[in-house]
Amino acid sequence: MDRLLGFAMVWVAVNGSITLGAGESGGARLMSCVVALPAWGYFGFRVMREVRGIKEDGRSARLRREERNRMGRDELLDAVTRLVARGPRSLECGVPGHGAEHLCLAVSEKVQLADLVEGFSGRYGASRNLAMGGYADPTVDATTGLPLLTPFGSRVVDMRAWAQGSWWIGAGTADSGDGVRRVVLVAERGTPSSAC
């Protein structure tokens, strides 16, 4: 209803300004511009509102597409199992700012960290705690899981690690700038014979 009323107002104001603007005097033409200003203002407001709505719809659609591409708990467990079963092979992470020698997997926002830890512990045994509450264990080095912390730097919040053959498996949380999100990654393990 508001939209119809607004368009009716624009139509009346534009037609009124055309009628007044057809006059010979400068005063009539000036009056036509003044009469048309609210209509053009309303028209501009509606256009801006529609553009903003289209942008928000586009952002929502993009977020929905990204969420569909993220994996649930069981999908993550299976993807990690396939990665670590294939033996030594170089990995390249597609996340901007991350280097090589690891691969981050897309985690659904619906997956809880406790569920991931339970699932990975069921498959790979007890985990090592590398970071908790934003503080990384200062004794962590390349032989005890550092490759799992390196991609996130100081943004890591929590990280648990499992050693499996020539791989590190990590599950935790990191600050993404838009809030804390869950992360799962597989990283190359330089010394597969060392215990975790």
Side-chain angles (χ1 to χ4, degrees), residues 57-148:
D57 288 345
R59 183 175 184 272
S60 297
R62 181 178 50 81
L63 291 173
R64 283 193 302 272
R65 275 194 311 273
E66 287 175 1
E67 181 60 28
R68 278 195 304 267
N69 291 336
R70 293 179 179 157
M71 293 182 263
R73 176 184 175 256
D74 294 336
E75 292 172 300
L76 283 165
L77 293 171
D78 292 342
V80 167
T81 299
R82 284 191 301 274
L83 278 170
V84 299
R86 67 184 187 172
R89 188 171 170 189
S90 136
L91 296 176
E92 186 73 36
C93 186
V95 177
H98 286 202
E101 301 179 353
H102 80 280
L103 179 68
C104 290
L105 301 166
V107 182
S108 171
E109 294 178 5
K110 297 173 185 172
V111 177
Q112 298 301 313
L113 180 57
D115 293 337
L116 289 172
V117 170
E118 179 185 337
F120 285 126
S121 294
R123 290 190 186 191
Y124 304 109
S127 65
R128 176 186 165 98
N129 197 12
L130 303 181
M132 180 180 267
Y135 297 101
D137 181 347
T139 65
V140 173
D141 60 21
T143 63
T144 57
L146 185 61
L148 297 173

Side-chain angles (χ1 to χ4, degrees), residues 11-87:
W11 184 79
V12 168
V14 169
N15 281 325
S17 68
I18 290 170
T19 304
L20 289 173
E24 295 293 324
S25 71
R29 289 186 180 153
L30 179 63
M31 189 59 154
S32 73
C33 289
V34 170
V35 168
L37 280 177
W40 288 115
Y42 176 80
F43 185 71
F45 166 76
R46 291 302 300 191
V47 166
M48 294 289 285
R49 190 169 168 186
E50 292 297 325
V51 167
R52 189 171 57 240
I54 290 168
K55 285 182 182 176
E56 288 173 359
D57 288 345
R59 183 175 184 272
S60 297
R62 181 178 50 81
L63 291 173
R64 283 193 302 272
R65 275 194 311 273
E66 287 175 1
E67 181 60 28
R68 278 195 304 267
N69 291 336
R70 293 179 179 157
M71 293 182 263
R73 176 184 175 256
D74 294 336
E75 292 172 300
L76 283 165
L77 293 171
D78 292 342
V80 167
T81 299
R82 284 191 301 274
L83 278 170
V84 299
R86 67 184 187 172

